[in-house]
């Protein structure tokens, strides 16, 4: 594309822009309009109580239905949004959709808590806490119905460790969850210093549990670690019964994965909730539900 470009008689070489880079460039320039045009949406994946199978919350996962590229996975545009300085806008957009849904469920007497992923980059934004508080206020959702999922990168980030941002978020009444746990570099002492409520065992370990002793051992260690630190523990990527049974036996508190449900658009999530036997008990933890 740009190769062989000649200027002033002197041929200067530019590497050919490969398909991959071209796509990235395009996605980057289109991100803003894609939000405005609602090409970017969210789906919700249920998280259930291991012992009772009651739904305890849903994780909000962003989706981009691109007119030319089809469904672009978040792994292809989250990092990109970070690089071009638009991750704050994307986070606000996702948080707004999540809390809007949460409000709608509350209006139906369903106090279903929502989890939203927070890029480590967002924690450096000085107005983050105000924006989260503002979003909760806008929708009239109590902080107790929101969980923010953070990645382990934050514990090695000095600016985050030295700031009060996590404590300030916590003071809004929400829960903080450490996502993809086991893939990063956090030490026990670092974990204890942060106001984290929950660990999510990375799905790379969970996916291998039914066939690999060592993955299973890692999962067991994380469950014990979490409980010893007084934290709750969630396993993500639970795809089969063998894994579910192992995690149940280990005492893992909550399960998330294709075995329970794939991430669903809001209308299908509502149908899923209704179709489940024990939908009453499914939201029994909610003080808002009239039984
Ligand atoms: P994550 O937060 O760890 O989310 C879990 C991912 O595992 C999701 O992928 C989900 O669809 C997938 N998953 C759930 N159950 C299973 C299972 O049983 N088997 C397998 N193989 N996969 C399962 P997804 O939606 O592609 O998201 C990938 C990552 O992108 C997320 O990982 C999260 O780090 C990031 N992400 C998604 N939405 C957002 C967002 O709104 N903001 C930010 N900052 N990051 C997001
Ligand atoms: Mg997550
Ligand atoms: Mg994860
Ligand atoms: Mg992940």
């Amino acid at each position: 594309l740009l190769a062989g470009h000649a200027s002033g008689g002197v041929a200067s070489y530019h590497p050919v822009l490969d398909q991959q880079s071209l796509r990235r460039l395009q996605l980057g320039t289109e991100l803003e309009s894609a939000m405005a045009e609602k090409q970017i949406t969210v789906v919700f994946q249920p998280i259930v109580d291991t012992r009772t199978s009651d739904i305890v919350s849903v994780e909000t996962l962003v989706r981009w239905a691109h007119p030319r590229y089809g469904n672009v996975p978040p792994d292809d545009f989250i990092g990109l949004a970070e690089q071009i300085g638009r991750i704050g806008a994307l986070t606000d957009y996702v948080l707004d959709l999540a809390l809007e849904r949460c409000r709608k469920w509350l209006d139906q007497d369903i106090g279903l808590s929502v989890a939203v992923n927070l890029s480590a980059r967002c924690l450096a934004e000085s107005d983050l806490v105000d924006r989260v508080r503002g979003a909760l206020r806008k929708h009239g959702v109590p902080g107790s119905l929101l969980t923010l999922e953070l990645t382990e990168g934050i514990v090695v980030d000095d600016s985050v460790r030295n700031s009060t941002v996590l404590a300030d978020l916590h003071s809004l009444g929400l829960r903080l969850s450490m996502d993809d746990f086991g893939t990063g570099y956090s030490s026990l002492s670092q974990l204890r210093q942060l106001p984290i409520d929950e660990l999510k065992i990375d799905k790379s370990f969970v996916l291998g549990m039914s066939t690999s002793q060592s993955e299973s051992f890692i999962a067991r260690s994380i469950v014990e670690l979490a409980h010893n630190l007084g934290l709750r523990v969630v396993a993500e990527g639970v795809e089969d019964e063998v894994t579910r049974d192992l995690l149940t036996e280990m005492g893992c508190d909550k399960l998330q994965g294709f075995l329970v449900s794939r991430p669903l658009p809001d209308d299908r999530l509502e149908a899923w909730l209704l179709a489940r036997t024990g939908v009453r008990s499914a939201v029994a933890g909610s003080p808002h539900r009239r039984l």
Side-chain angles (χ1 to χ4, degrees):
L1 187 71
L2 297 172
H5 168 75
S7 57
V10 182
S12 62
Y13 174 78
H14 297 283
V16 172
L17 208 53
D18 58 80
Q19 285 298 106
Q20 210 45 25
S21 318
L22 185 61
R23 190 175 111 129
R24 266 179 80 76
L25 263 179
Q26 253 157 12
L27 291 177
T29 56
E30 290 169 3
L31 188 71
E32 211 74 43
S33 60
M35 288 190 269
E37 289 162 20
K38 303 268 163 164
Q39 278 171 30
I40 297 181
T41 54
V42 296
V43 287
F44 300 97
Q45 187 175 34
I47 300 174
V48 297
D49 181 293
T50 307
R51 281 182 309 108
T52 62
S53 297
D54 289 350
I55 181 166
V56 285
S57 65
V58 290
E59 179 174 4
T60 312
L61 295 159
V62 71
R63 294 291 179 262
W64 188 345
H66 194 280
R68 286 191 312 286
Y69 298 129
N71 293 324
V72 183
D75 287 330
D76 286 5
F77 62 92
I78 296 294
L80 181 65
E82 288 175 353
Q83 281 166 21
I84 62 175
R86 301 312 294 154
I87 190 66
L90 184 59
T91 302
D92 291 348
Y93 178 87
V94 170
L95 186 62
D96 190 61
L97 289 178
L99 293 177
E100 180 183 81
R101 278 302 122 186
C102 186
R103 179 69 245 171
K104 196 181 146 231
W105 295 323
L106 271 177
D107 292 341
Q108 298 167 22
D109 289 320
I110 299 170
L112 190 54
S113 107
V114 291
V116 171
N117 290 283
L118 201 61
S119 156
R121 199 64 66 94
C122 291
L123 294 169
E125 297 164 347
S126 58
D127 60 349
L128 176 71
V129 179
D130 289 336
R131 280 154 48 214
V132 174
R133 186 190 291 111
L136 288 166
R137 269 207 198 126
K138 174 185 170 191
H139 295 286
V141 171
S144 58
L145 287 181
L146 177 65
T147 298
L148 293 176
E149 298 193 1
L150 315 161
T151 48
E152 255 185 301
I154 57 149
V155 300
V156 289
D157 185 329
D158 284 337
S159 63
V160 169
R161 272 197 5 247
N162 298 333
S163 80
T164 59
V165 61
L166 294 183
D168 293 346
L169 285 171
H170 221 209
S171 69
L172 299 177
L174 49 80
R175 270 182 303 258
L176 296 174
S177 178
M178 183 77 87
D179 207 348
D180 303 343
F181 188 78
T183 57
Y185 304 95
S186 49
S187 71
L188 290 183
S189 65
Q190 287 171 327
L191 258 187
R192 290 190 57 172
Q193 285 163 21
L194 299 171
I196 297 291
D197 305 284
E198 178 184 273
L199 300 183
K200 291 188 87 169
I201 309 172
D202 188 69
K203 65 173 179 291
S204 62
F205 305 119
V206 179
L207 289 171
M209 277 181 65
S210 59
T211 49
S212 159
Q213 284 275 343
S214 62
E215 311 289 302
S216 195
F217 178 75
I218 291 170
R220 188 181 295 277
S221 305
I222 297 175
V223 171
E224 282 171 14
L225 167 65
H227 288 162
N228 287 335
L229 290 172
L231 308 176
R232 307 273 281 163
V233 59
V234 187
E236 64 175 19
V238 182
E239 292 188 351
D240 58 74
E241 273 106 359
V242 174
T243 303
R244 178 196 59 200
D245 294 346
L246 279 167
L247 287 161
T248 305
E249 178 261 322
M250 290 173 191
C252 183
D253 302 296
K254 304 177 204 172
L255 307 177
Q256 175 182 6
F258 297 166
L259 179 70
V260 178
S261 170
R262 290 193 171 256
L264 302 169
D266 57 349
D267 53 335
R268 287 188 50 209
L269 176 77
E270 281 156 25
W272 183 88
L273 285 171
L274 277 173
R276 257 165 90 90
T277 52
V279 64
R280 286 161 170 279
S281 70
V283 288
S286 157
H288 307 279
R289 178 90 184 180
R290 286 188 298 270
L291 296 175

